[in-house]
Amino acid sequence: MFGRRPRFGQAQPTIVEELLERYDAGEIDFPGLSIAHADLRDVHVEGVNLCGARLQWANAARIHLRGSYLSFITLFQAYLRLADLRGCDLGYADLRETDLSGADLREANLEWADLRGADLTGALLEGANLRRARLEHTLLNTKPRQG
């Protein structure tokens, strides 16, 4: 009855390529974008508007989104290990069961974000706003990163 869910990074590459082409042409507004299972590893798209985007199950390891507007984004079960999210607005974001291990979240706004079951092991959180964030069952060990 239900098809198998694709693995991380198995979204249609043309959608991701189009996003990057538009960004390279100077566009920064992509509200409501929907790319489940996107392969966004090592992508640099800083200062973009992805408000309300749906990127669940994305593989976005080492993505650079510094200073981006990501309120209401859905990153459910996404892989954001070592992501650069400094200064991002992640208010009301759905980050349930997301791997944010080693991510740089300094000065990020995570107010009202849902981080239940997320992995924040080794994440940099200095100056991050976690007021009213849901943190039940979140792995949190903020020892400094090695290297």
Side-chain angles (χ1 to χ4, degrees):
M1 179 180 248
F2 295 104
R4 290 184 56 205
R5 186 172 85 193
R7 299 171 63 121
F8 281 130
Q10 289 187 346
Q12 289 186 329
T14 54
I15 298 170
V16 175
E17 289 169 6
E18 180 184 332
L19 166 73
L20 296 175
E21 287 173 9
R22 290 168 55 193
Y23 177 77
D24 288 341
E27 191 171 342
I28 60 168
D29 289 313
F30 307 100
L33 180 74
S34 183
I35 318 175
H37 307 284
D39 184 355
L40 297 167
R41 290 173 290 177
D42 299 305
V43 166
H44 290 251
V45 287
E46 298 182 1
V48 296
N49 173 7
L50 287 168
C51 178
R54 293 176 303 281
L55 302 172
Q56 59 270 25
W57 310 299
N59 183 352
R62 299 172 308 279
I63 193 168
H64 292 261
L65 287 166
R66 185 177 185 173
S68 294
Y69 183 59
L70 309 174
S71 286
F72 299 97
I73 195 168
T74 299
L75 287 162
F76 174 72
Q77 291 185 342
Y79 186 71
L80 287 126
R81 186 175 187 340
L82 300 173
D84 184 353
L85 301 169
R86 287 176 285 170
C88 286
D89 185 347
L90 286 150
Y92 297 91
D94 181 356
L95 299 165
R96 290 173 297 139
E97 300 176 26
T98 297
D99 184 347
L100 288 157
S101 58
D104 191 343
L105 290 156
R106 290 177 288 177
E107 303 298 326
N109 175 33
L110 291 151
E111 190 165 8
W112 292 104
D114 191 346
L115 291 150
R116 289 177 291 167
D119 184 353
L120 289 165
T121 305
L124 302 175
L125 294 166
E126 292 83 7
N129 175 7
L130 288 161
R131 284 188 290 267
R132 299 180 195 91
R134 302 216 39 201
L135 299 169
E136 299 90 4
H137 307 291
T138 299
L139 294 174
L140 184 58
N141 177 349
T142 55
K143 290 182 182 176
R145 291 189 279 191
Q146 300 285 326

